[in-house]
Amino acid sequence: IRRPPRSTPKPSSAASDVYKRQLLKEILLKVESVQKASFYVFLGMLCISINDLIVKKFSSDYPLHEIIFFRSSIAILLTLVLVNIEGGLTILKTTQPKLHALRALTIFLCNMIFFSAIATLPLATATALFFVAPIFITLLSIPLLGEKVGIRRLLAVVFGFLGVFIMMKPNTWSVSEIHPFIYFLPVIAAILYALMQIMTRKLSKSSKPSALAFYIQVTFMALSLIFGLIFGDGKLTDVSSNTSVQFILKGWIIPKGTDLPYFFALGCMAAGVGYFMSKAYSTAAAASVAPFEYVLLPLSIFWGWTIFGDIPDMYILTGIIFVVGSGLYVFIREKKKENITSPMPNQNLES
């Protein structure tokens, strides 16, 4: 005797109401986490913009490695305060010291290369070129994280690189005072930043934001001191007349008393960047947080215009549209992918 198929019992009205309440609660928590993360990003970008402003202002007086050494010496003290707040020195223990060291080395080189670029380029130009980083994160996630990238995101990558090409203004290289290679420095820094962000994704699961910032500041101090010991005597300053090269090779100078508050501010900004950005990416998903980093562009344009009198031309503004547009599209696609793959609340609730 064939029995009729058993029908799947429908969830009761009470179970459905519980599910809806749970779903609404999760949505509200997610929105709240994104709001908190966006606020952390804004603070981080504000710190970065002020940091870049001071570094550019100091580029004609002090060597880059001296600026980074004093900045990190102050920042590490402030970071230790944050470490104490988040759990004490025990949170500095890690089972991934090599990955932490590689991440810190990567961001150190990223900073050195980008700062050498802003010694020559306007802040807005260097920052806009650097914002090709999300595109590199997309490309590097394929071999390093095993992620699949569709044709639409690859087209967005091409669109972004076209924006970079426009901002580099190759048609003016033959008559420009700026060496063409200087335009590539922010792009190289963007590649290093993309690598650092991929490593941060792995480390943020087991390390506190203040611990991540601490390892960076220790590395900054050590490597900038090594640079100082090699180039600090200033004997290589005359090797090149290029502003960016001289920024790296010039000799150490005893800071003026009037400049000490700016050095202290640099330390505060460095500690703030390391903490706020690590906090942002540990509070919400990267695809939700990253688009808020574009607030750095108007901040850089504002500082460049008000302090240095730099106004972006049509090449830069057009390139910004291409780069930001492609970056935002990549983030939107990442967000959709995140929503598809994220597990829904369990509907099998008991009434």
Side-chain angles (χ1 to χ4, degrees):
I1 300 173
R2 297 181 61 184
R3 295 181 180 179
R6 297 177 62 182
S7 59
T8 303
K10 296 182 179 181
S12 65
S13 176
S16 179
D17 290 342
V18 172
Y19 164 69
K20 289 177 181 178
R21 286 196 297 270
Q22 183 180 349
L23 181 60
L24 179 60
K25 183 179 179 181
E26 290 194 5
I27 292 173
L28 291 175
L29 287 174
K30 194 172 184 180
V31 170
E32 184 181 356
S33 67
V34 172
Q35 288 176 339
K36 287 181 180 179
S38 64
F39 179 65
Y40 288 131
V41 170
F42 173 76
L43 293 177
M45 292 301 104
L46 182 62
C47 289
I48 288 177
S49 69
I50 296 173
N51 176 87
D52 294 349
L53 166 65
I54 297 174
V55 169
K56 184 173 178 64
K57 196 170 180 62
F58 275 178
S59 63
S60 59
D61 299 321
Y62 299 97
L64 177 55
H65 39 83
E66 181 180 359
I67 294 172
I68 290 181
F69 176 77
F70 281 109
R71 184 189 73 162
S72 300
S73 300
I74 297 167
I76 198 168
L77 297 176
L78 300 174
T79 303
L80 283 172
V81 174
L82 297 174
V83 167
N84 186 58
I85 292 174
E86 290 197 331
L89 296 177
T90 54
I91 69 171
L92 298 179
K93 294 181 180 179
T94 178
T95 57
Q96 298 174 293
K98 292 182 180 179
L99 189 57
H100 275 290
L102 182 60
R103 175 179 178 270
L105 176 61
T106 302
I107 196 62
F108 172 79
L109 294 175
C110 171
N111 274 251
M112 290 288 287
I113 293 171
F114 180 78
F115 290 150
S116 63
I118 64 175
T120 303
L121 296 174
L123 275 177
T125 303
T127 303
L129 287 169
F130 180 78
F131 266 108
V132 76
I135 296 174
F136 283 116
I137 292 175
T138 299
L139 290 177
L140 291 172
S141 66
I142 300 173
L144 297 181
L145 298 178
E147 294 183 2
K148 294 181 179 180
V149 177
I151 186 65
R152 283 179 287 187
R153 274 196 287 171
L154 289 177
L155 288 174
V157 168
V158 174
F159 196 73
F161 283 132
L162 179 59
V164 170
F165 181 77
I166 293 171
M167 286 188 286
M168 286 183 173
K169 298 183 277 191
N171 60 314
T172 66
W173 286 356
S174 60
V175 295
S176 175
E177 295 180 356
I178 300 176
H179 193 282
F181 182 70
I182 302 299
Y183 286 100
F184 287 93
L185 293 179
V187 179
I188 296 172
I191 296 173
L192 293 169
Y193 180 80
L195 287 169
M196 186 275 296
Q197 284 288 22
I198 290 174
M199 286 183 274
T200 302
R201 289 184 186 181
K202 295 183 177 181
L203 289 171
S204 61
K205 297 176 182 178
S206 59
S207 298
K208 295 282 188 179
S210 58
L212 291 172
F214 176 81
Y215 297 127
I216 286 178
Q217 300 307 332
V218 169
T219 305
F220 275 16
M221 279 185 63
L223 295 182
S224 60
L225 185 59
I226 293 172
F227 265 78
L229 293 173
I230 297 173
F231 304 114
D233 56 7
K235 291 181 179 179
L236 298 176
T237 305
D238 297 329
V239 168
S240 173
S241 60
N242 185 277
T243 307
S244 296
V245 175
Q246 287 189 344
F247 191 26
I248 297 175
L249 300 180
K250 68 176 61 174
W252 277 44
I253 302 170
I254 298 176
K256 302 173 186 176
T258 54
D259 289 338
L260 292 179
Y262 292 103
F263 277 105
F264 180 75
L266 275 174
C268 294
M269 295 304 105
V273 171
Y275 178 77
F276 289 133
M277 296 309 295
S278 296
K279 191 74 174 175
Y281 280 93
S282 61
T283 302
S288 300
V289 174
F292 293 102
E293 291 190 17
Y294 284 109
V295 74
L296 181 58
L297 271 173
L299 287 171
S300 297
I301 292 173
F302 174 77
W303 293 127
W305 172 51
T306 55
I307 305 299
F308 303 105
D310 296 327
I311 301 176
D313 56 24
M314 287 305 299
Y315 287 99
I316 301 302
L317 293 176
T318 303
I320 286 174
I321 293 172
F322 276 71
V323 170
V324 173
S326 64
L328 289 176
Y329 181 80
V330 167
F331 290 136
I332 290 170
R333 296 298 302 174
E334 286 286 340
K335 184 65 178 174
K336 286 184 177 180
K337 180 181 175 183
E338 173 194 319
N339 290 338
I340 291 172
T341 57
S342 60
M344 295 295 289
N346 186 9
Q347 298 186 42
N348 297 324
L349 301 174
E350 295 181 6
S351 57

